[in-house]
Amino acid sequence: MSSKGKFYMTTAIAYTSGKPHIGNTYEIVLADAIARYKRLEGYDVYFQTGTDEHGQKIELKAEEKGITPKQFVDEVAGEVKRIWDLMNTSYDNFVRTTDEDHETQVKKIFKKLYDKGDIYKGSYEGLYCTPCESFWTESQLVDGKCPDCGREVQPAKEEAYFFKMSKYADRLIEHINTHPEFIQPVSRKNEMMNNFLLPGLQDLCVSRTSFSWGIPVDFDPKHVVYVWLDALTNYITKIGYDADGNSSDLFKKNWPADLHLIGKDIIRFHTIYWPIFLMALDLPLPKQVFGHPWLLQGGEKMSKSKGNVIYADDMVDLFGVDATRYFVLHEMPFENDGIITWELVVERFNSDLANILGNLVSRTISMSNKYFDGVVKSTGATEEVDNDLKAVVTGARDKIADKMSGLRVADAITEVFNVFRRCNKYIDETTPWTLAKDEAKKDRLATVLYNLTEAITIGASLLFSFMPETSEKILAQLNTEKRSLENMNTFGLYPNGNKVTEKPEILFARMDIKDVMEKVEAMKAAAAAEKQEEKKEEEKPGMDVEKKPEITYDDFAKLQFQIGEIVKCEAVPKSKK
């Protein structure tokens, strides 16, 4: 398929305050499904993700562990990348905001905006939420707490640099009104307009002096750049933007971004702060910002303090990569929050993956081997019932394209499984085992199995964007290759006389909820024991030094003292000082 042009997409970069849970991991899997599908459509995709590594929260967490902030973020960034790779995500670039090229450009961007008069020096007194790295006024609080995360805020007063947000507010409102696709879903747009833009924007604090773990303002180094100005600019710095005008070919090719895929909790930063920063830099705005919903554990937001966190690698250990991908993609609605429980995962695994898909593939290959030694051949012995199967299968491509164009990924994967559901119904309608008993119906039996094999081939090809490993396994067992998107609406391209595998692999073996829950409880117990061990290690007393007797003045006079210059300081492991 010829290229349809570039498609630059990004996820939010994961904040390195700790290991990402399955709700965080959902975003990278969602992005990967979109990226893979866009490549199938013929787009030249550039897919960027990574980690956000500065801020007060990280500085405090590193101090608690007795290590430097850089050591802390190196550890967490490695864990994030490990999980992204575990989930078989096809990103092109994994960025880190501690990368030298990014830090250099952030300093340049800050200076450029300062020289332009969009940033000015002042002082800040207000309320600060450390977990969200956000400033708030009293009127913006909800029940006296952070309106984003619901946690306590602390009074903050310090010298700071400010960005003139109000200067660009009318221009941004105009852009949103004339580009309805810019903020999706529409409910997110309404929230931004009614709660922030229309009431009037206040100038934004863009530097801090009360902590040091950040990118320093090079012309005033006691200040570090506000973490959101630092983080948001990765979308341009890491594809080669240069504030001095020497941007790379990669940047010139890919900017503006076609899609920023983010969680609904950070929509404000991406649809108000970010476009205004870009306006100030005289750069075009991204084409679309999509704020996806949350994945809730039993109806509640996941939190370590609540003990309800589920991790992707634990799910993979129990169910496999593609089953985990299927669950998070299928169970997340377009706009409202999705629900995850271990019980629901097992239910979906058994009903959708083991029964609808796995059993279908196994039955079809087994019947081809039993009745025709694995040879799949169309004899032309068609009947009326074949037409509806063919219509459903060949019609799936365009239905999925329509869903994916609106980023309705859960609906798209449902359409793929409708193909497999129709195949199972076709088996019930044609009853191949009955046909096999009548030698006169051998040609009809061959055609039925050919139709099933062809339908599964198309279905497996459509499945690739969502469950790539499973798609490849099915096609390998059918001894064929993934169909191109342009041919997925054509029925009958499976090679006549081709031979399927002799022994079909079980794709998804049914699981018992009792066995799964026993393993889950063992995982929880192991995690609790590890946490307790870490706590004991942190509480170990310092070195017990034996007290020596006091010395006399004459002894003291014998000592020789030397003055030295301190050239480097490093944190002592486990020390909290």
PDB file of all heavy atoms in Angstrom, residues 458-470:
ATOM      1  N   ILE A 458      -8.656 -13.680   7.299  1.00  0.00           N
ATOM      2  CA  ILE A 458      -8.994 -12.252   7.284  1.00  0.00           C
ATOM      3  C   ILE A 458      -9.142 -11.724   8.707  1.00  0.00           C
ATOM      4  O   ILE A 458      -8.633 -10.656   9.052  1.00  0.00           O
ATOM      5  CB  ILE A 458     -10.283 -12.011   6.460  1.00  0.00           C
ATOM      6  CG1 ILE A 458     -10.028 -12.317   4.979  1.00  0.00           C
ATOM      7  CG2 ILE A 458     -10.770 -10.562   6.632  1.00  0.00           C
ATOM      8  CD1 ILE A 458     -11.259 -12.254   4.094  1.00  0.00           C
ATOM      9  N   GLY A 459      -9.833 -12.502   9.558  1.00  0.00           N
ATOM     10  CA  GLY A 459     -10.006 -12.081  10.951  1.00  0.00           C
ATOM     11  C   GLY A 459      -8.678 -11.945  11.669  1.00  0.00           C
ATOM     12  O   GLY A 459      -8.450 -10.968  12.399  1.00  0.00           O
ATOM     13  N   ALA A 460      -7.774 -12.907  11.468  1.00  0.00           N
ATOM     14  CA  ALA A 460      -6.450 -12.849  12.118  1.00  0.00           C
ATOM     15  C   ALA A 460      -5.643 -11.669  11.609  1.00  0.00           C
ATOM     16  O   ALA A 460      -4.888 -11.042  12.364  1.00  0.00           O
ATOM     17  CB  ALA A 460      -5.699 -14.154  11.869  1.00  0.00           C
ATOM     18  N   SER A 461      -5.790 -11.334  10.342  1.00  0.00           N
ATOM     19  CA  SER A 461      -5.085 -10.178   9.770  1.00  0.00           C
ATOM     20  C   SER A 461      -5.604  -8.877  10.373  1.00  0.00           C
ATOM     21  O   SER A 461      -4.837  -7.961  10.678  1.00  0.00           O
ATOM     22  CB  SER A 461      -5.252 -10.170   8.244  1.00  0.00           C
ATOM     23  OG  SER A 461      -4.706 -11.340   7.669  1.00  0.00           O
ATOM     24  N   LEU A 462      -6.920  -8.812  10.563  1.00  0.00           N
ATOM     25  CA  LEU A 462      -7.523  -7.635  11.199  1.00  0.00           C
ATOM     26  C   LEU A 462      -7.135  -7.542  12.677  1.00  0.00           C
ATOM     27  O   LEU A 462      -7.091  -6.449  13.247  1.00  0.00           O
ATOM     28  CB  LEU A 462      -9.046  -7.693  11.071  1.00  0.00           C
ATOM     29  CG  LEU A 462      -9.623  -7.460   9.672  1.00  0.00           C
ATOM     30  CD1 LEU A 462     -11.078  -7.886   9.613  1.00  0.00           C
ATOM     31  CD2 LEU A 462      -9.467  -5.992   9.256  1.00  0.00           C
ATOM     32  N   LEU A 463      -6.850  -8.680  13.285  1.00  0.00           N
ATOM     33  CA  LEU A 463      -6.509  -8.736  14.713  1.00  0.00           C
ATOM     34  C   LEU A 463      -5.106  -8.210  15.000  1.00  0.00           C
ATOM     35  O   LEU A 463      -4.791  -7.852  16.140  1.00  0.00           O
ATOM     36  CB  LEU A 463      -6.625 -10.190  15.194  1.00  0.00           C
ATOM     37  CG  LEU A 463      -6.448 -10.480  16.680  1.00  0.00           C
ATOM     38  CD1 LEU A 463      -7.562  -9.831  17.507  1.00  0.00           C
ATOM     39  CD2 LEU A 463      -6.417 -12.000  16.918  1.00  0.00           C
ATOM     40  N   PHE A 464      -4.260  -8.139  13.978  1.00  0.00           N
ATOM     41  CA  PHE A 464      -2.833  -7.864  14.169  1.00  0.00           C
ATOM     42  C   PHE A 464      -2.554  -6.594  14.971  1.00  0.00           C
ATOM     43  O   PHE A 464      -1.668  -6.583  15.830  1.00  0.00           O
ATOM     44  CB  PHE A 464      -2.131  -7.772  12.815  1.00  0.00           C
ATOM     45  CG  PHE A 464      -0.665  -7.438  12.933  1.00  0.00           C
ATOM     46  CD1 PHE A 464       0.258  -8.408  13.307  1.00  0.00           C
ATOM     47  CD2 PHE A 464      -0.210  -6.143  12.704  1.00  0.00           C
ATOM     48  CE1 PHE A 464       1.603  -8.106  13.441  1.00  0.00           C
ATOM     49  CE2 PHE A 464       1.133  -5.826  12.841  1.00  0.00           C
ATOM     50  CZ  PHE A 464       2.041  -6.810  13.207  1.00  0.00           C
ATOM     51  N   SER A 465      -3.265  -5.524  14.725  1.00  0.00           N
ATOM     52  CA  SER A 465      -2.993  -4.250  15.417  1.00  0.00           C
ATOM     53  C   SER A 465      -3.209  -4.362  16.921  1.00  0.00           C
ATOM     54  O   SER A 465      -2.569  -3.643  17.691  1.00  0.00           O
ATOM     55  CB  SER A 465      -3.902  -3.143  14.864  1.00  0.00           C
ATOM     56  OG  SER A 465      -3.677  -2.963  13.488  1.00  0.00           O
ATOM     57  N   PHE A 466      -4.091  -5.248  17.325  1.00  0.00           N
ATOM     58  CA  PHE A 466      -4.497  -5.338  18.719  1.00  0.00           C
ATOM     59  C   PHE A 466      -3.786  -6.472  19.476  1.00  0.00           C
ATOM     60  O   PHE A 466      -3.401  -6.315  20.622  1.00  0.00           O
ATOM     61  CB  PHE A 466      -6.015  -5.524  18.791  1.00  0.00           C
ATOM     62  CG  PHE A 466      -6.760  -4.605  17.858  1.00  0.00           C
ATOM     63  CD1 PHE A 466      -7.257  -5.069  16.649  1.00  0.00           C
ATOM     64  CD2 PHE A 466      -6.922  -3.268  18.176  1.00  0.00           C
ATOM     65  CE1 PHE A 466      -7.923  -4.216  15.776  1.00  0.00           C
ATOM     66  CE2 PHE A 466      -7.583  -2.403  17.311  1.00  0.00           C
ATOM     67  CZ  PHE A 466      -8.079  -2.880  16.111  1.00  0.00           C
ATOM     68  N   MET A 467      -3.643  -7.609  18.804  1.00  0.00           N
ATOM     69  CA  MET A 467      -3.009  -8.796  19.405  1.00  0.00           C
ATOM     70  C   MET A 467      -2.016  -9.371  18.394  1.00  0.00           C
ATOM     71  O   MET A 467      -2.266 -10.408  17.772  1.00  0.00           O
ATOM     72  CB  MET A 467      -4.079  -9.826  19.785  1.00  0.00           C
ATOM     73  CG  MET A 467      -5.105  -9.311  20.787  1.00  0.00           C
ATOM     74  SD  MET A 467      -6.499 -10.463  21.020  1.00  0.00           S
ATOM     75  CE  MET A 467      -5.692 -11.859  21.790  1.00  0.00           C
ATOM     76  N   PRO A 468      -0.882  -8.694  18.203  1.00  0.00           N
ATOM     77  CA  PRO A 468       0.028  -9.069  17.110  1.00  0.00           C
ATOM     78  C   PRO A 468       0.586 -10.487  17.198  1.00  0.00           C
ATOM     79  O   PRO A 468       0.672 -11.181  16.178  1.00  0.00           O
ATOM     80  CB  PRO A 468       1.151  -8.020  17.193  1.00  0.00           C
ATOM     81  CG  PRO A 468       1.023  -7.392  18.545  1.00  0.00           C
ATOM     82  CD  PRO A 468      -0.414  -7.489  18.913  1.00  0.00           C
ATOM     83  N   GLU A 469       0.960 -10.946  18.392  1.00  0.00           N
ATOM     84  CA  GLU A 469       1.540 -12.287  18.511  1.00  0.00           C
ATOM     85  C   GLU A 469       0.499 -13.363  18.194  1.00  0.00           C
ATOM     86  O   GLU A 469       0.800 -14.350  17.520  1.00  0.00           O
ATOM     87  CB  GLU A 469       2.089 -12.497  19.925  1.00  0.00           C
ATOM     88  CG  GLU A 469       3.355 -11.708  20.217  1.00  0.00           C
ATOM     89  CD  GLU A 469       3.877 -11.952  21.626  1.00  0.00           C
ATOM     90  OE1 GLU A 469       3.238 -12.717  22.387  1.00  0.00           O
ATOM     91  OE2 GLU A 469       4.909 -11.363  21.974  1.00  0.00           O
ATOM     92  N   THR A 470      -0.722 -13.164  18.673  1.00  0.00           N
ATOM     93  CA  THR A 470      -1.791 -14.127  18.403  1.00  0.00           C
ATOM     94  C   THR A 470      -2.119 -14.161  16.915  1.00  0.00           C
ATOM     95  O   THR A 470      -2.319 -15.236  16.332  1.00  0.00           O
ATOM     96  CB  THR A 470      -3.049 -13.770  19.221  1.00  0.00           C
ATOM     97  OG1 THR A 470      -2.712 -13.779  20.608  1.00  0.00           O
ATOM     98  CG2 THR A 470      -4.181 -14.752  18.967  1.00  0.00           C
TER      99      THR A 470
END
